Amino acid sequence: MVFSRFLLSFQKATSIAAPRKELLLLCILKRSQQTSPHALRPIKTKSNRKEPIYFLDSKRVHVVGGKGGDGCISFLQLWCNERAGPDGGDGGNGGHVILQSSTDVSNFNHILSTIRGIPGEKGGSQNCHGKNAEHTSVKVPVGTIVRDNVGEIVGDLSEVNLMFVAARGGMGGKGNRFFATAIHKSPKICEYGPEGEDVTYFLELRTIADVGFIGHPNAGKSTLLNAISRAKPKIAPYPFTTVRPFIGMVQYDDFTQLAVADLPGLIPDAHLNRGLGIKFLKHAERCKVLLFVLDASSENPIIQYEQLLHEIKQFSPYLAQRPKIVVANKMDLPKAQENYENLQNNLDVKVIPISAKTGSNISTLLFVMREYYEHHK
C-alpha cells in the first residue's frame, strides 16, 4: 500500500512525458522487486511412465558409409545401327554418415549402435548414371567428443551446427561406356561400387550437468533428485539402484534452468575399477559442481566424506579441485542431528542439513546451488 501511494504521488508530482514516465516507473518497480532468484516448483506433473528415462553420456558407435552403386554393362541397338556401341552408365555415390551438433538433443539415447549410410543407385542403359545417395545426418549434443579405437580425439563438436564426417560413402562404379576406347570399342566390363568406410567411434559428452550428486549407495541421491525435479529415477532400499546417470532440471523464477545429475553410488577403491569404478568417475568428471550427499543417520558420516574425497583425488587431482557442496541427508532419522553437529565441527566446509524424503530445508539447498552455478558457470 505504501509503495502504491508513492507511485501515485510520483505520477501527480512529475511533469514528464507519458512514455518516459512509464519507463521510469517500470525501473522503480524492478528495483524494488529485485531479489535473489528463487527455485520454482515444477508446473507439470510427473509422467505416468513406468520405465524411467536414463541419461546416456557415452556410447560406442559402429558407423558404415553407404555402398557405391554398380556400373552397368549395356550396348545400344538402334533400328538403323544394331552396333551403336556401349551405353552402360556409372553408379551413384554412396552417402556419407555425418555427426552434426545440435541443441535439439541432450544425450545419446536416440543414437543406434550401428549407423549405415544409404547406398547409391546402380547405373542404367542409355548412359543413365545412378543417383547419388543422400547423406545420413545424425544429431549429437553440443560438446560431443569423438574418439577412435585408440582413444585419440578425432572430433570436437563444441559449437552448434558443427559437422564431423564419421564414414565416407563409396564412389559409384564405372559402366562399360567409360572403358570404351578407339582400340577396344565394345568393352564388356564394368566396376562394382566399393563399400563405404567402416569405422568404430566412442562418443562422449564434455558436460552432462551443472551439479552432480556424489555419495555412497543408499545415501538418498535419487530421492533428492525426485524431490527437486520432474525426473523419476529408480528408488529402492538396496544398493546400486542407479547404474546410469539420471538428469533433472531445476527451474528458477528468472527463467534459468540448472541440470542436476543423479550419479551411481561410489564405493571404496572405485579408482581401482571396483564396483562401477572408472565408469562412474567419468560421469562425475562431466559435472561442473560436485554435491556430496552424506547419510547423516549412518555410524560415521565423516568417514563417508573422506572416502569419497580420496577416491576422487586418486582418479584425478583436477576433479578434486572442482567446487563442492556438502549435504547431510536423512535428517528426519534418529541420531542424524548429533551426526550433523559432529560433521559441522570437524569439516572445513559448510554442511547443509536436509531431508529429501520430507522436503526439509530443500529451498536452502536450491539457493546454494544457484550461487555456486553463478560463480562457476
Side-chain angles (χ1 to χ4, degrees), residues 16-26:
I16 311 176
R20 293 184 60 192
K21 184 189 297 183
E22 292 177 0
L23 182 61
L24 184 57
L25 292 176
L26 183 60

Side-chain angles (χ1 to χ4, degrees), residues 111-132:
I111 299 180
L112 301 175
S113 299
T114 302
I115 305 174
R116 296 184 179 276
I118 303 173
E121 291 186 0
K122 297 180 180 179
S125 58
Q126 299 182 7
N127 294 319
C128 291
H129 299 318
K131 183 180 178 181
N132 295 332

Side-chain angles (χ1 to χ4, degrees), residues 45 69 92 130 143 160 220 229-231 270 286 298 337:
T45 57
V160 182
S229 70
R230 295 182 64 245
R286 300 178 188 128
S298 62
Q337 185 63 32

Side-chain angles (χ1 to χ4, degrees), residues 243-271:
V243 294
R244 295 185 181 95
F246 285 85
I247 302 296
M249 302 302 295
V250 180
Q251 298 182 358
Y252 291 83
D253 56 5
D254 61 345
F255 305 105
T256 300
Q257 292 184 341
L258 295 189
V260 184
D262 172 24
L263 305 180
L266 183 65
I267 62 175
D269 294 334
H271 69 280

